[in-house]
Amino acid sequence: AQTVTQSQPEMSVQEAETVTLSCTYDTSESDYYLFWYKQPPSRQMILVIRQEAYKQQNATENRFSVNFQKAAKSFSLKISDSQLGDAAMYFCAYRSGDSNYQLIWGAGTKLIIKP
Amino acid sequence: DTGVSQNPRHKITKRGQNVTFRCDPISEHNRLYWYRQTLGQGPEFLTYFQNEAQLEKSRLLSDRFSAERPKGSFSTLEIQRTEQGDSAMYLCASSLMAGGAGELFFGEGSRLTVL
């Protein structure tokens, strides 16, 4: 069975600095998708960025980028120029390529932004 | 359309009572998901609908839990004879795509507290 591990329960970063959140996963599949979702306090979870396993190029969305290391089964999220609005729980998630619905979630990392 | 809507946002009930949560997905989304999230954990999959058909149920969904999606629009999640262990945030999400890199759109959740 696939698993997703986020080893950092909490991270803090100074506003305008860069922070990297870690995620590792375990799978024997070659076709899968990886996601980072953000859950601000008392607000809905939203997609930050996604990566298809068959793509070698790391995904980038504005200040958010990933470092996808397929062989190491690592999928870290880098947030550049951190802003106060980035404060949230960040969840890493895995979806098998043959699944219509199932997402496997990590336990999350709480990101604190220091002004 | 303003996104996925969940009601009520908070529910406090006594053990043994029944509760029902409602989810209104994004109107053009034919896929709907229910998740449960406890403090410090990622979401746990409960069940999945495609239109009005309930296609998958987690073993977490005991006989006390029932979900419906009449007419393929809104969905309800009912918990009968609530137990203290049912206390959690119940998240609803909807999507246009099945699987793949498809994004889930979440509601703000319904928080259940069982006394």
Side-chain angles (χ1 to χ4, degrees):
Chain A
Q2 297 88 10
T3 59
V4 175
T5 302
Q6 293 180 251
S7 59
Q8 306 154 318
E10 186 175 295
M11 290 283 285
S12 63
V13 63
Q14 205 72 35
E15 192 177 4
E17 297 293 308
T18 295
V19 64
T20 298
L21 308 184
S22 300
C23 173
T24 58
Y25 57 95
D26 188 23
T27 185
S28 58
E29 300 174 331
S30 58
D31 180 26
Y32 53 88
Y33 303 84
L34 296 164
F35 306 82
W36 279 100
Y37 278 83
K38 167 187 176 181
Q39 188 177 37
S42 300
R43 296 184 61 187
Q44 68 264 48
M45 196 166 324
I46 58 173
L47 179 66
V48 175
I49 198 165
R50 59 190 140 190
Q51 174 83 40
E52 295 88 342
Y54 62 83
K55 290 187 177 179
Q56 292 186 339
Q57 187 172 6
N58 289 326
T60 299
E61 291 286 345
N62 300 314
R63 298 182 296 106
F64 298 86
S65 62
V66 298
N67 184 5
F68 174 47
Q69 300 291 326
K70 192 171 184 179
K73 298 179 183 175
S74 171
F75 183 61
S76 60
L77 174 69
K78 185 171 83 170
I79 306 173
S80 304
D81 185 25
S82 298
Q83 300 175 359
L84 294 178
D86 295 333
M89 285 292 293
Y90 286 81
F91 292 94
C92 178
Y94 169 103
R95 178 187 282 136
S96 171
D98 61 4
S99 172
N100 281 336
Y101 64 91
Q102 183 69 284
L103 275 172
I104 311 297
W105 297 81
T109 296
K110 182 179 181 180
L111 179 62
I112 297 168
I113 311 295
K114 298 178 181 177
Chain B
D1 191 277
T2 57
V4 178
S5 177
Q6 291 188 245
N7 289 287
R9 294 288 312 281
H10 304 276
K11 179 71 176 178
I12 300 174
T13 190
K14 293 182 179 179
R15 188 178 55 187
Q17 298 294 305
N18 299 345
V19 296
T20 299
F21 299 116
R22 175 178 170 127
C23 172
D24 288 272
I26 294 172
S27 57
E28 63 267 28
H29 288 183
N30 58 357
R31 294 169 176 85
L32 186 146
Y33 313 78
W34 283 100
Y35 286 87
R36 182 171 69 187
Q37 185 180 27
T38 53
L39 200 62
Q41 297 297 319
E44 297 174 295
F45 170 78
L46 292 178
T47 191
Y48 160 62
F49 290 85
Q50 181 172 323
N51 299 312
E52 66 275 9
Q54 188 174 19
L55 297 187
E56 191 68 33
K57 288 168 51 173
S58 164
R59 63 177 183 271
L60 291 175
L61 218 63
S62 75
D63 291 344
R64 297 184 298 104
F65 287 71
S66 62
E68 295 181 341
R69 193 182 181 196
K71 303 177 183 177
S73 56
F74 71 91
S75 175
T76 57
L77 176 69
E78 181 183 17
I79 309 174
Q80 296 182 328
R81 305 181 303 281
T82 52
E83 301 173 356
Q84 289 184 327
D86 297 331
S87 295
M89 178 75 84
Y90 290 86
L91 299 174
C92 177
S94 68
S95 72
L96 196 55
M97 282 179 60
E103 176 180 357
L104 294 187
F105 293 81
F106 285 85
E108 294 184 340
S110 292
R111 181 170 297 283
L112 174 65
T113 301
V114 181
L115 302 177

